[in-house]
Amino acid sequence: AAALAAGALALAVLPPAARAASSSPAAGYEAIDGPYFERNLPGKLAESLAAARAALQERPGDAALLWREGRDLVRRGEKASGKAGKLADYRAAEAALARAVELDPKSADAHFWYGVAMGRRGETQGILHSLFLIKPIRAQMRATLALDPDHGGAHRVLGEILWQVPGFAGGDKKAALAEFEAAVRLDPSYTANYEPLAQAYLHFHRGRAAVRVLKALEAVKEPKDPASYPDDLADARKTLAELAR
């Protein structure tokens, strides 16, 4: 994909106004989503996961519960200290998410988190040992975008694949940059989208563009994922400080 035009890019990195934040718990799932969006606080992620599993005891065929369980397992795996623990959580997440996709193939969230779970497993195993996962991850992200064309997270995942995999396996850093730009443009209140775009600009020696992106992150007032925002902001400020030296 070609890079976005300069005018579109300017819009992409302005302070967010396009897409409303969605950190409010979904009706009927407050006991799961509430603590999930506070998972940066001690015990909240475990609370969210426990609530999802308790609800699944009563409604085992609820796809929305299954993708939430998978989402929480992905997050727990990201925090796990050892490779074995990470892989166990990612595989358990994949099982829950595969079932969610089967039960509700029109759920963009189920497809997205299924692809993320596979991607996290691939990162943990090592890219060269996980090339077989590229095709199914891309398929899940494309399914996500078919259902929700404004899903910036799916573009970010596609960008991460293009950025990380070797060229012989389909990697393409210029195409990755375009995906990262789309992620920020479409989902500007999701602050995790900003740092990959800034780092991509730095790779291509576009320091001013990187600074503009990071300052736009600082201007976000209603982050879509409040639990992620403090770390995203800290990373942005660290990068800005390094660039100012």
Side-chain angles (χ1 to χ4, degrees), residues 191-206:
T191 53
N193 290 341
Y194 286 77
E195 184 71 17
L197 175 57
Q199 293 299 328
Y201 280 141
L202 291 174
H203 174 84
F204 288 109
H205 308 291
R206 297 175 62 182

Side-chain angles (χ1 to χ4, degrees), residues 1-4 8-9 12-13 19 145 149-159 175-188 193 197 201:
L4 297 178
L9 176 58
V13 296
R19 198 172 184 194
L145 290 169
D150 292 335
H151 200 295
H155 283 287
R156 189 185 75 254
V157 172
L158 290 171
L177 173 61
E179 294 287 359
F180 292 145
E181 288 174 336
V184 172
R185 175 173 55 83
L186 294 170
D187 218 347
N193 290 341
L197 175 57
Y201 280 141

Side-chain angles (χ1 to χ4, degrees), residues 98-111:
R99 179 62 175 154
V101 167
E102 179 184 359
L103 288 168
D104 186 2
K106 293 185 177 181
S107 170
D109 288 306
H111 286 288

Side-chain angles (χ1 to χ4, degrees), residues 18 21 37 67 103 130-131 156 171 178 182 184 209 242:
F37 287 115
W67 74 249
L103 288 168
S130 305
L131 294 177
R156 189 185 75 254
V184 172
E242 292 171 351

Side-chain angles (χ1 to χ4, degrees), residues 194 211 213-221 229 233 236-237 240:
Y194 286 77
V211 169
V213 168
L214 295 169
K215 288 186 174 179
L217 186 156
E218 287 187 307
V220 173
K221 300 303 181 186
Y229 177 72
L233 181 61
R237 288 177 171 169
L240 284 169

Side-chain angles (χ1 to χ4, degrees), residues 111-134:
H111 286 288
F112 174 71
W113 285 104
Y114 189 20
V116 170
M118 286 190 280
R120 290 291 180 262
R121 174 161 66 91
E123 290 173 353
T124 304
Q125 293 174 161
I127 294 297
L128 294 179
H129 295 289
S130 305
L131 294 177
F132 67 95
L133 290 171
I134 293 173

